[in-house]
Amino acid sequence: GKARRGPATKVAHSRSYPRGVGLDFKKLPSLTLMSYIDHHSVPVRNEAPPSEIAVAVARHFEAMEVDEDTVINGFLARLSAGQELGPLVPPPSQRLHPSHEYDRYAAASADYARSTAFFDGHAPGPLARRRRRSKNAARPAEQVAAKITRTNENGSWILASVQRFYAESETYDVQDEDDTSKLIRLPWTHVMRLSKGSEGCFAKNTRVMAIFPETTSFYRAVVSKEPVWKLPKGSTTPVVKDLILKFEDDEDIEGRTPHRRVPSRYVIPLPEAYFHEDDDDVDLVPIKYGTA
């Protein structure tokens, strides 16, 4: 079915701001209001202007019955999500990675929990996820990585450009950068946006996908050297211009894998890492590894 802000029937609405609400929701950005709408499933018209959305949020806020103990306990649980959730990878004793890399994964797990968990300890529902994907969808003419095969073989992702995103079906029309003569219709799970060089997620030894030099296909690789961060002129955001990688199955005749320099824009996470929000439910319960 179609993703809508409200039920199929006509949504009653009012432009009258509730007198019992001291907060002025009309001063909040539209994105913040829509996050509230998504989280609480507040019914609003598809064509509702920001002022009407603010009224809907205010009326919902006014009608809420809040238990102070529940809110405080939930807030504290969210703050300690990193400790309660535990790392999403086994401890160092069960891994080959050095401890400092394990700490980095554990920190990332905590950040993920805090950014996706609600106070009740559950991940966003299907409707909220659908709206988030639509909001974050690649734009027309934007270059992306696109999976054009049914298999997961190395090189199945290619460089493509978006022609259109269909929010209702969550599909893309893309064009192969090497063959612009036809459109390819793909589900959202087969399209990944490219890096901006500022994400900071590609430390040494990170497994990634990247365009192999002088091709337009993405292949699995490992970051073989620590990235070099630079501050572009006139910017306050440091970026990584290039990354040094070792590609899978790229050994020379002597069995050595060369270091290859790839623009950071064309280095992206593995699909299972990129799409993790919809694969993993956040549950604020410690993960147990092994048996006592």
Side-chain angles (χ1 to χ4, degrees), residues 142-164:
E142 179 178 339
Q143 281 191 325
V144 295
K147 183 183 178 184
I148 59 172
T149 67
R150 294 180 180 271
T151 66
N152 292 318
E153 63 185 12
N154 212 2
S156 60
W157 291 77
I158 66 168
L159 186 64
S161 62
V162 172
Q163 302 303 303
R164 184 175 178 182

Side-chain angles (χ1 to χ4, degrees), residues 22-123:
L23 296 174
D24 189 356
F25 286 98
K26 292 180 289 186
K27 292 183 178 180
L28 294 180
S30 297
L31 183 60
T32 302
L33 295 175
M34 287 309 304
S35 295
Y36 186 102
I37 293 289
D38 288 341
H39 179 69
H40 295 285
S41 299
V42 180
V44 295
R45 299 181 303 146
N46 285 337
E47 66 275 15
S51 58
E52 184 179 319
I53 295 175
V55 170
V57 169
R59 289 186 173 277
H60 180 273
F61 183 80
E62 182 184 40
M64 289 179 65
E65 295 183 1
V66 179
D67 183 289
E68 293 183 0
D69 289 338
T70 301
V71 172
I72 293 174
N73 290 336
F75 178 69
L76 294 176
R78 188 182 186 190
L79 286 180
S80 60
Q83 296 178 348
E84 295 185 12
L85 176 67
L88 298 182
V89 293
S93 60
Q94 300 180 25
R95 303 194 69 202
L96 299 177
H97 297 291
S99 60
H100 73 276
E101 185 178 355
Y102 164 78
D103 291 339
R104 178 169 57 81
Y105 280 112
S109 300
D111 287 342
Y112 169 59
R114 293 189 182 97
S115 63
T116 59
F118 293 149
F119 286 165
D120 59 5
H122 297 291

Side-chain angles (χ1 to χ4, degrees), residues 42-292:
V42 180
V44 295
R45 299 181 303 146
N46 285 337
E47 66 275 15
S51 58
E52 184 179 319
I53 295 175
V55 170
V57 169
R59 289 186 173 277
H60 180 273
F61 183 80
E62 182 184 40
M64 289 179 65
E65 295 183 1
V66 179
D67 183 289
E68 293 183 0
D69 289 338
T70 301
V71 172
I72 293 174
N73 290 336
F75 178 69
L76 294 176
R78 188 182 186 190
L79 286 180
S80 60
Q83 296 178 348
E84 295 185 12
L85 176 67
L88 298 182
V89 293
S93 60
Q94 300 180 25
R95 303 194 69 202
L96 299 177
H97 297 291
S99 60
H100 73 276
E101 185 178 355
Y102 164 78
D103 291 339
R104 178 169 57 81
Y105 280 112
S109 300
D111 287 342
Y112 169 59
R114 293 189 182 97
S115 63
T116 59
F118 293 149
F119 286 165
D120 59 5
H122 297 291
L127 181 58
R129 285 175 166 174
R130 174 184 283 268
R131 285 175 171 164
R132 181 189 302 165
R133 289 195 294 266
S134 180
K135 180 181 67 177
N136 295 328
R139 303 296 185 257
E142 179 178 339
Q143 281 191 325
V144 295
K147 183 183 178 184
I148 59 172
T149 67
R150 294 180 180 271
T151 66
N152 292 318
E153 63 185 12
N154 212 2
S156 60
W157 291 77
I158 66 168
L159 186 64
S161 62
V162 172
Q163 302 303 303
R164 184 175 178 182
F165 175 72
Y166 300 89
E168 293 180 356
S169 60
E170 294 193 289
T171 56
Y172 285 92
D173 279 344
V174 303
Q175 283 184 338
D176 183 343
E177 289 286 47
D178 282 345
D179 181 8
T180 59
S181 62
K182 60 182 179 181
L183 289 177
I184 307 172
R185 178 74 53 89
L186 296 173
W188 68 271
T189 52
H190 285 209
V191 175
M192 296 170 60
R193 302 185 75 174
L194 301 183
S195 169
K196 297 179 181 178
S198 59
E199 289 87 348
C201 56
F202 298 133
K204 184 179 179 181
N205 296 324
T206 303
R207 296 175 62 237
V208 297
M209 290 199 310
I211 288 184
F212 193 84
E214 299 183 4
T215 75
T216 57
S217 295
F218 289 82
Y219 294 89
R220 290 187 291 270
V222 174
V223 179
S224 56
K225 294 186 178 181
E226 289 291 351
V228 177
W229 293 87
K230 295 183 179 180
L231 191 64
K233 186 177 180 180
S235 173
T236 58
T237 303
V239 298
V240 175
K241 183 178 180 181
D242 302 295
L243 283 165
I244 308 301
L245 313 174
K246 284 187 175 182
F247 284 89
E248 288 187 6
D249 305 321
D250 189 32
E251 298 86 356
D252 58 22
I253 58 175
E254 297 180 357
R256 294 177 299 188
T257 303
H259 297 278
R260 296 188 183 273
R261 184 182 300 273
V262 178
S264 61
R265 170 173 172 76
Y266 299 123
V267 181
I268 57 179
L270 295 178
E272 55 266 33
Y274 184 89
F275 295 111
H276 71 280
E277 284 191 6
D278 290 276
D279 294 332
D280 298 320
D281 285 335
V282 176
D283 188 0
L284 301 182
V285 176
I287 294 177
K288 305 295 185 183
Y289 294 103
T291 57

